[in-house]
Amino acid sequence: MASSEVDVVSDEENEEKVKQFHEFGLDDRIQKAIAKLGWLEPTLIQEKTIPLILDGKDVLIRARTGSGKTGAFAVPLVQKILSVKETQQHQQTTGLVLAPSKELCKQIHDVFVSLTTKCSREVRCLDISSQVELSVQKPLLAENPDIVIATPGRALQHLKAKNLNVKKSLETLIIDEADLIFSFGYEDEIKTLLSHLPTVYQAILASATLSDDVLSLKKLVLHNPAILKLEEPPLAPPSQLAHYTLAAEENDKAAILYALLKLHLIRGKCIIFVNTVDRCYKLKLFLEQFGIPTCVLNSELPASSRCRAVTQFNSGTYDIIVASDEKALEEPHVMKEKQGKRRKDKESGVARGIDFQFVSNVINFDFPLDLNAYIHRAGRTARGKNQGTALSFVSVRERILLEQVDEYLKKEYGQDNLFKTYQFRLHEVEGFRYRARDAWKAVTRIAVREARLKEIKQEVLTCEKLKSYFEEHPRDLQSLRQDKALHTVRVQPHLKDVPDYIVPPSLRAMAGIGRRKRRFNREIAASGASAAKSKYEARAANPLAVMSLGKKAKKK
């Protein structure tokens, strides 16, 4: 069906005046919750979308990840439910939110919970995406929560079991990350699910792209929709997101990463991307030997473990995640051709949709295999108005992939030399290279296989058998930290420390070498300390400052 309205939104249109949340006529309880969340003003897509949804129109939202799409549909849905509550006689489910992965379902649920902190008795929200027995969730659905969040497959299971009945009550259907719904293999589920819904309801699709799958879904779900396209580059502007490349062959990548982390040249939260699950565990086991705690995130872990990993990362429990890109999840035809023995969870996704908060750096240990993968990875940082950096290790074989990405970004931003070279003299840190070579070789294929099996067994055990125990003993949840060492490779305690003699002289102040001496002579050397501080102050302000190891820092 043809669209009645096409609204192309650009940053230029928004320069006049930003509309504030109180101008939407929202309930006071929602406004208090928004203030508590720290949302100072609506994002561009929220400003344009909220009034349309409140007017009851079907809406198709296209905006990049991090633009505030979740808030754009969550705020008006809560407002609509509160308005209906004034005349509603019976409790019933009026809102259904579908998302392609369990992690994204939990993230959406958290947003709704935050928006309803002041009206939690009036607006109840339930996430049923977790893979527990249907009978466990049946009594929760029997209470008819106002909003139900699920993956399409999980929602259909409950609809067929008649645990969820929205044939007469549903008023709003929302599908988030719509461009991934069919890619995750949910086409049949969606078509069947629609037969369990009423003939008339308001529908909202939110997507990062307007792919063919989204257009097919639009024909199935939307009726005469308003289309909101946020006209902006796929990534944050260069002033907010800096792109760096570092030439490194396979044998040197691990040594460089080890040196960057131990010399504190990378600061803040960091996501390290590799191209396979095996590489995830190999890198984790490598860094473990040097006392660098990391968490692995991939589709083979139980859903609750993945969600807990993201939650702990966002809360600051640990600062480094090693993640794998699951190409099979985005391209089902590839999965059919290369069917592996290991079972993967189709309701899991790492590079898309999940809201990793306050990520300072994205490191492509393996350069992404295509343009979309690079955009999705780099999109994990520089979200909202935060600064971020994307550092890519590039081998000779990966240069052609870099050139493709560079060519595309030049056209998008109209700027040459978008990728800056991160100057790194590997021979200056030969001591790190020597250590890294042996540590990398120690992580054999057998060690990786044992680590994968060990972690999966541990997570299944803790998720199922100990769930009720940890609910009663929340302090013991520390034992479930996702960055625990796997110990399938022999750990040598002395490798955790970095001796002074392997640190380049120009970087000893940044690496913390000699700090004790400065503290002891603090009063005598006050002027010297302040000079050293100012020297590195500008460099420390940038999480990934470009520098040449072994040379003095250039003054700005």
Side-chain angles (χ1 to χ4, degrees), residues 37 39 64-71 73-74 97 99-115 125-129 149-151 176-177 297 303 306-308 310-311 314 349-357 379-380 383:
L37 281 168
W39 298 357
R64 65 177 171 84
T65 304
S67 60
K69 293 195 299 291
T70 305
F73 62 70
V97 183
S101 70
K102 301 184 188 74
E103 295 95 335
L104 188 52
C105 285
K106 183 182 184 302
Q107 178 182 307
I108 294 171
H109 179 260
D110 291 342
V111 173
F112 275 107
V113 169
S114 298
L115 287 173
C125 181
L126 177 64
D127 176 14
I128 59 171
S129 63
I149 302 168
T151 59
D176 196 12
E177 294 292 342
L297 197 61
R306 298 193 301 268
C307 291
R308 187 170 64 248
V310 176
T311 301
N314 289 339
V350 175
R352 287 289 302 275
I354 305 177
D355 190 8
F356 296 100
Q357 298 174 4
R380 299 306 98 200
R383 295 169 69 88

Side-chain angles (χ1 to χ4, degrees), residues 324-534:
S324 62
D325 268 358
E326 301 298 339
K327 291 298 295 179
L329 296 181
E330 296 188 27
E331 300 180 18
H333 60 279
V334 176
M335 183 172 60
K336 292 177 182 178
E337 293 174 3
K338 300 180 180 180
Q339 190 72 33
K341 295 181 180 179
R342 299 186 181 98
R343 182 182 177 185
K344 295 183 179 180
D345 187 351
K346 78 170 186 176
E347 298 183 355
S348 166
V350 175
R352 287 289 302 275
I354 305 177
D355 190 8
F356 296 100
Q357 298 174 4
F358 306 111
V359 177
S360 298
N361 314 293
V362 164
I363 297 180
N364 291 314
F365 189 83
D366 296 329
F367 198 83
L369 300 176
D370 56 36
L371 171 64
N372 287 332
Y374 182 87
I375 291 174
H376 297 152
R377 290 184 186 187
R380 299 306 98 200
T381 186
R383 295 169 69 88
K385 296 184 179 181
N386 297 317
Q387 296 289 321
T389 56
L391 171 64
S392 300
F393 294 170
V394 185
S395 65
V396 172
R397 296 172 59 185
E398 295 169 328
R399 290 292 303 179
I400 187 171
L401 298 172
L402 172 63
E403 292 171 1
Q404 293 172 0
V405 174
D406 188 32
E407 190 69 25
Y408 173 80
L409 293 181
K410 281 181 182 178
K411 293 179 181 178
E412 283 291 330
Y413 294 105
Q415 178 180 335
D416 292 334
N417 302 321
L418 195 65
F419 281 94
K420 301 175 184 177
T421 301
Y422 190 98
Q423 303 293 340
F424 192 97
R425 293 188 172 187
L426 190 57
H427 68 271
E428 295 279 353
V429 287
E430 188 62 35
F432 289 85
R433 192 179 188 179
Y434 178 79
R435 287 180 161 206
R437 188 187 305 118
D438 291 340
W440 188 253
K441 288 181 180 179
V443 187
T444 62
R445 293 178 62 183
I446 295 176
V448 169
R449 185 181 63 188
E450 290 178 352
R452 294 177 68 165
L453 292 173
K454 182 177 181 180
E455 185 160 62
I456 292 173
K457 288 178 181 178
Q458 285 179 347
E459 293 301 326
V460 171
L461 179 66
T462 55
C463 288
E464 298 297 330
K465 293 187 178 180
L466 300 180
K467 183 177 180 180
S468 59
Y469 171 82
F470 285 116
E471 287 177 355
E472 297 176 2
H473 303 81
R475 290 186 178 181
D476 292 347
L477 276 173
Q478 282 297 319
S479 64
L480 290 183
R481 281 180 62 116
Q482 296 296 116
D483 57 344
K484 291 184 297 184
L486 294 175
H487 296 305
T488 59
V489 175
R490 185 172 69 91
V491 176
Q492 304 178 61
H494 72 278
L495 292 180
K496 294 182 180 180
D497 300 320
V498 178
D500 298 5
Y501 63 85
I502 72 171
V503 180
S506 61
L507 293 179
R508 289 187 179 181
M510 292 190 69
I513 304 300
R515 281 182 180 173
R516 290 182 180 176
K517 185 178 293 184
R518 285 200 298 272
R519 288 196 190 105
F520 181 77
N521 298 318
R522 182 174 298 172
E523 295 181 1
I524 300 176
S527 58
S530 61
K533 180 180 178 181
S534 62

Side-chain angles (χ1 to χ4, degrees), residues 53 65 75 79 82 91 93 100 137 148 186 192 246 265 307 309 339 440 550 553:
I53 296 178
T65 304
V75 169
Q79 174 63 37
L82 286 174
Q91 176 65 29
T93 299
Q137 295 174 339
V148 172
Y186 286 127
T192 306
L246 200 164
L265 300 181
C307 291
Q339 190 72 33
W440 188 253

Side-chain angles (χ1 to χ4, degrees), residues 39-258:
W39 298 357
L40 301 179
E41 60 186 30
T43 63
L44 185 55
I45 200 67
Q46 289 170 354
E47 181 184 351
K48 302 294 182 180
T49 303
I50 291 175
L52 291 173
I53 296 178
L54 290 176
D55 287 344
K57 294 182 179 180
D58 282 11
V59 181
L60 172 57
I61 308 168
R62 190 209 68 85
R64 65 177 171 84
T65 304
S67 60
K69 293 195 299 291
T70 305
F73 62 70
V75 169
L77 179 55
V78 175
Q79 174 63 37
K80 285 178 60 180
I81 292 173
L82 286 174
S83 300
V84 171
K85 286 286 183 178
E86 298 176 0
T87 57
Q88 192 179 59
Q89 297 180 350
H90 304 288
Q91 176 65 29
Q92 53 189 7
T93 299
T94 57
L96 177 61
V97 183
L98 302 177
S101 70
K102 301 184 188 74
E103 295 95 335
L104 188 52
C105 285
K106 183 182 184 302
Q107 178 182 307
I108 294 171
H109 179 260
D110 291 342
V111 173
F112 275 107
V113 169
S114 298
L115 287 173
T116 58
T117 51
K118 305 297 181 180
C119 54
S120 55
R121 293 185 179 181
E122 290 82 1
V123 182
R124 286 180 282 171
C125 181
L126 177 64
D127 176 14
I128 59 171
S129 63
S130 59
Q131 291 297 315
V132 297
E133 293 293 332
L134 296 181
S135 57
V136 175
Q137 295 174 339
K138 181 178 180 179
L140 300 175
L141 289 169
E143 297 178 0
N144 295 322
D146 298 281
I147 304 169
V148 172
I149 302 168
T151 59
R154 191 62 172 175
L156 184 59
Q157 289 176 349
H158 280 290
L159 286 168
K160 287 182 175 179
K162 297 184 178 180
N163 299 335
L164 176 63
N165 188 358
V166 293
K167 190 70 175 178
K168 296 181 180 180
S169 65
L170 187 72
E171 296 181 0
T172 306
L173 171 67
I174 297 172
I175 301 180
D176 196 12
E177 294 292 342
D179 53 336
L180 293 185
I181 289 290
F182 286 178
S183 295
F184 273 55
Y186 286 127
E187 184 172 2
D188 294 337
E189 284 93 337
I190 286 289
K191 292 178 179 177
T192 306
L193 187 148
L194 293 176
S195 64
H196 292 269
L197 305 184
T199 54
V200 179
Y201 54 85
Q202 182 183 16
I204 296 103
L205 297 185
S207 172
T209 64
L210 291 181
S211 63
D212 292 339
D213 286 344
V214 175
L215 297 178
S216 300
L217 198 55
K218 170 192 165 189
K219 294 178 182 178
L220 287 174
V221 177
L222 300 180
H223 302 280
N224 200 24
I227 301 177
L228 290 175
K229 294 191 294 181
L230 193 59
E231 292 297 321
E232 61 177 359
L235 294 173
S239 59
Q240 184 181 354
L241 173 60
H243 303 263
Y244 297 108
T245 60
L246 200 164
E249 293 308 310
E250 181 64 26
N251 294 334
D252 294 330
K253 287 183 177 181
I256 293 173
L257 181 63
Y258 163 44

